[in-house]
Amino acid sequence: MGDIAKDLTAGTVGGIANLVVGHPFDTIKVKLQSQPSPAPGQLLKYAGAFDAVKQTVAAEGPRGLYKGMGAPLATVAAFNALLFTVRGQMETLLRSEPGAPLTVKQQVVAGAGAGLAVSFLACPTELIKCRLQAQSSLAEAGAVSRVALPKGPMDVARHVMRDAGVKGLFKGIVPTMGREIPGNAIMFGVYEAVKQYMAGGQDTSGLGQGSLILAGGLAGGALWLTVYPTDVVKSVIQVDDYKKPRYSGSIDALKKIVAADGVKGLYKGFGPAMARSVPANAATFVAYEITRSALG
């Protein structure tokens, strides 16, 4: 079984683990990010993460926390397989000789290359997921226009292409790249740095699952701590109306968010994102490493 096939398989398993563990946290994150600023004298729809969970479960049941999971589940194999495969091929190019371990700097470069590759798959997937997750805030716009809200991933895609063509699925590609390229560079760099620190050198093959969980969790936390404001900009652009958009682009969205809510507006939903990042990314890396090792 070739290295590419092994990375494809292990990346798929890692992606599924990430999705199952992290999607409820992601749903709450998007709901908090996308809720509109209230009118003067009015309160926000959600007072915080716990309130968002309560309202979601009360209105839709526990399955509401997994709303929008169809889109990433349908593409999780391709997304994570691409991420880890490109990273693996980048590692091969960067090695001084076959089998040689990579430095932390080389892992940063490999992660950045993988991030660039997955941006073009992540953008339409994230757009569909975010629009489904944020339907409670989009409902007001739907009621005004008397247009029925889409019921699932394929329905969202049809609505988007009807309003904006295929290019509409790539709305938010700039902030998506602004998240994926530096985010994956940091994630893979931190993951390797923590592993090498615990192993006392570049040979990390002897580390146990506990060490991998710690390294993966810290790597995920570092990713979101760095790119979270970019993710907020991406989310508000992707749930924006196509016919009457509030934002003309990433910079405009950034300015309007800060003008309306201050810098803290760029950290809406930060709690759920960080709560998700540690277990979800730990699950991803452990599942990947175990599967990759089992494949030889």
Side-chain angles (χ1 to χ4, degrees):
M1 191 175 188
D3 287 340
I4 293 178
K6 292 175 184 178
D7 283 329
L8 284 168
T9 303
T12 299
V13 174
I16 293 172
N18 180 292
L19 190 62
V20 171
V21 172
H23 193 80
F25 295 96
D26 189 65
T27 296
I28 299 304
K29 171 181 74 72
V30 172
K31 283 179 177 286
L32 291 173
Q33 287 177 339
S34 59
Q35 62 178 328
S37 298
Q42 299 296 314
L43 297 175
L44 286 166
K45 178 176 176 60
Y46 304 115
F50 288 109
D51 184 47
V53 172
K54 289 179 181 178
Q55 289 195 44
T56 299
V57 173
E60 307 172 55
R63 67 179 182 179
L65 295 172
Y66 283 89
K67 198 165 189 177
M69 188 172 171
L73 184 61
T75 57
V76 66
F79 180 89
N80 285 278
L82 180 62
L83 177 68
F84 281 96
T85 300
V86 173
R87 177 212 180 197
Q89 293 304 296
M90 290 286 291
E91 287 179 332
T92 300
L93 292 173
L94 292 167
R95 283 193 178 95
S96 57
E97 59 183 55
L102 268 66
T103 65
V104 172
K105 289 183 179 179
Q106 288 173 319
Q107 286 288 359
V108 168
V109 174
L116 174 62
V118 299
S119 293
F120 297 96
L121 182 58
C123 187
T125 302
E126 287 274 310
L127 182 140
I128 291 170
K129 173 183 70 67
C130 287
R131 293 182 79 84
L132 282 171
Q133 289 173 323
Q135 276 193 351
S136 57
S137 60
L138 292 175
E140 296 177 6
V144 171
S145 62
R146 296 184 180 180
V147 175
L149 291 173
K151 303 300 182 183
M154 294 305 295
D155 201 20
V156 170
R158 283 193 292 269
H159 275 69
V160 168
M161 289 190 286
R162 180 198 63 199
D163 292 340
V166 175
K167 68 178 182 180
L169 293 172
F170 290 89
K171 188 175 186 178
I173 184 64
V174 172
T176 299
M177 293 176 69
R179 184 189 72 174
E180 293 296 331
I181 296 173
N184 281 290
I186 290 165
M187 182 177 71
F188 285 113
V190 169
Y191 181 65
E192 189 64 28
V194 173
K195 286 202 305 177
Q196 290 187 15
Y197 175 79
M198 290 189 291
Q202 287 189 317
D203 183 6
T204 61
S205 59
L207 292 177
Q209 291 183 23
S211 297
L212 297 179
I213 289 172
L214 177 60
L218 291 174
L223 182 158
W224 284 110
L225 188 64
T226 305
V227 303
Y228 195 79
T230 307
D231 185 65
V232 173
V233 171
K234 177 200 72 67
S235 292
V236 300
I237 287 176
Q238 290 188 321
V239 301
D240 198 11
D241 188 68
Y242 283 90
K243 295 179 179 178
K244 296 180 180 179
R246 295 175 59 196
Y247 310 109
S248 61
S250 300
I251 301 300
D252 184 50
L254 178 66
K255 289 179 179 178
K256 287 180 178 176
I257 291 170
V258 173
D261 302 309
V263 175
K264 68 179 182 179
L266 295 172
Y267 289 89
K268 283 183 178 179
F270 184 67
M274 290 301 290
R276 169 191 179 275
S277 67
V278 174
N281 283 281
T284 300
F285 279 107
V286 170
Y288 171 82
E289 296 276 14
I290 292 175
T291 305
R292 190 67 171 77
S293 177
L295 294 174

